[in-house]
Amino acid sequence: EAGWIGTIHHGLPIDLLPFDPGPGKYLAFLGRIAREKRVDRAIAIATACGQPLRIAAKVDPADRDYFEDEIRPLLDNPLVEFIGEISEYEKGPFLGQAPALLFPIDWPEPFGLVMIEALACGVPVVAFRGGSVPEVIDEGVTGFIVDSLEDAIAATRNVHHLDRYRCRDVFERRFNVNRMARDHIAMYEMLLERRSSGRALTGVV
């Protein structure tokens, strides 16, 4: 049976997304319109906080009925703007102008690349606990990890206390593509050393 050896987190090129010192104009949701992504939570958070929310999200054919039946009625809200899917080149300006990224997932997210895209722009993340979230977000430093809608609303109201420069610094240190490459090389070297020394390999996950 294969065993776990280690975790290598995703990385992005340092210069892919520009840092924005803020303070930001609207809360941001970036991703897909899917039940497990819980854009309805994002709308509820923004509404409770009285802050504008911009939703940049694609709607896959499999999620079209969910969007039409459950999400589109929520868009009839003066605080909410649905802008649809955006290009990779538009992500930087979109995220950089937000005081926070809302990541209100309701499933065990394998990683959540959008979280480190936000950090690259200096934007802290308010994320529901699930999957990789506690591995990516440093509580009280690069964002807040919450367990309820009430906690998310309180966190969003306090996100301006977080340091956007610190968010960018953490991205550069923990989530840059060069670190990811070094981690892969180190893991392969470790596996090769095990093989050459005759120790059994337990498998790679």
Side-chain angles (χ1 to χ4, degrees):
E1 181 180 350
W4 175 81
I5 288 177
T7 299
I8 299 176
H9 291 130
H10 285 293
L12 295 172
I14 289 289
D15 57 357
L16 180 65
L17 294 162
F19 171 74
D20 191 314
K25 304 172 184 177
Y26 50 79
L27 299 171
F29 177 96
L30 175 62
R32 290 184 295 112
I33 299 293
R35 194 175 298 276
E36 66 272 15
K37 299 291 188 178
R38 293 304 298 268
V39 70
D40 58 312
R41 281 178 172 170
I43 294 170
I45 293 164
T47 301
C49 292
Q51 295 189 51
L53 170 69
R54 298 191 78 195
I55 300 169
K58 65 177 180 178
V59 184
D60 290 332
D63 298 308
R64 176 60 61 181
D65 289 344
Y66 167 70
F67 173 70
E68 295 294 342
D69 296 341
E70 300 188 38
I71 300 303
R72 188 178 290 281
L74 301 178
L75 302 179
D76 186 20
N77 180 327
L79 289 172
V80 177
E81 181 183 2
F82 178 73
I83 62 176
E85 186 175 5
I86 61 175
S87 70
E88 292 296 318
Y89 299 103
E90 294 172 300
K91 283 185 178 180
F94 174 78
L95 290 169
Q97 295 178 39
L101 170 75
L102 301 183
F103 194 69
I105 58 166
D106 192 16
W107 76 307
E109 179 69 60
F111 183 74
L113 194 64
V114 67
M115 289 189 286
I116 66 171
E117 290 174 331
L119 298 183
C121 298
V123 177
V125 181
V126 176
F128 275 68
R129 191 183 309 276
S132 67
V133 166
E135 298 178 51
V136 177
I137 301 302
D138 296 328
E139 173 66 24
V141 177
T142 58
F144 296 111
I145 301 171
V146 301
D147 296 293
S148 69
L149 193 61
E150 292 72 22
D151 289 346
I153 292 166
T156 303
R157 287 174 174 159
N158 286 286
V159 79
H160 62 279
H161 292 301
L162 301 182
D163 186 341
R164 291 170 73 100
Y165 289 90
R166 185 78 181 277
C167 291
R168 173 70 189 191
D169 179 67
V170 169
F171 161 75
E172 292 186 1
R173 180 166 42 84
R174 293 186 57 206
F175 299 112
N176 74 80
V177 72
N178 293 327
R179 186 275 311 151
M180 180 179 69
R182 287 194 302 269
D183 287 354
H184 275 93
I185 292 170
M187 182 170 289
Y188 283 121
E189 288 177 341
M190 182 261 296
L191 292 171
L192 289 171
E193 191 276 332
R194 285 191 184 185
R195 173 169 290 180
S196 64
S197 65
R199 282 181 286 169
L201 298 182
T202 59
V204 180
V205 176

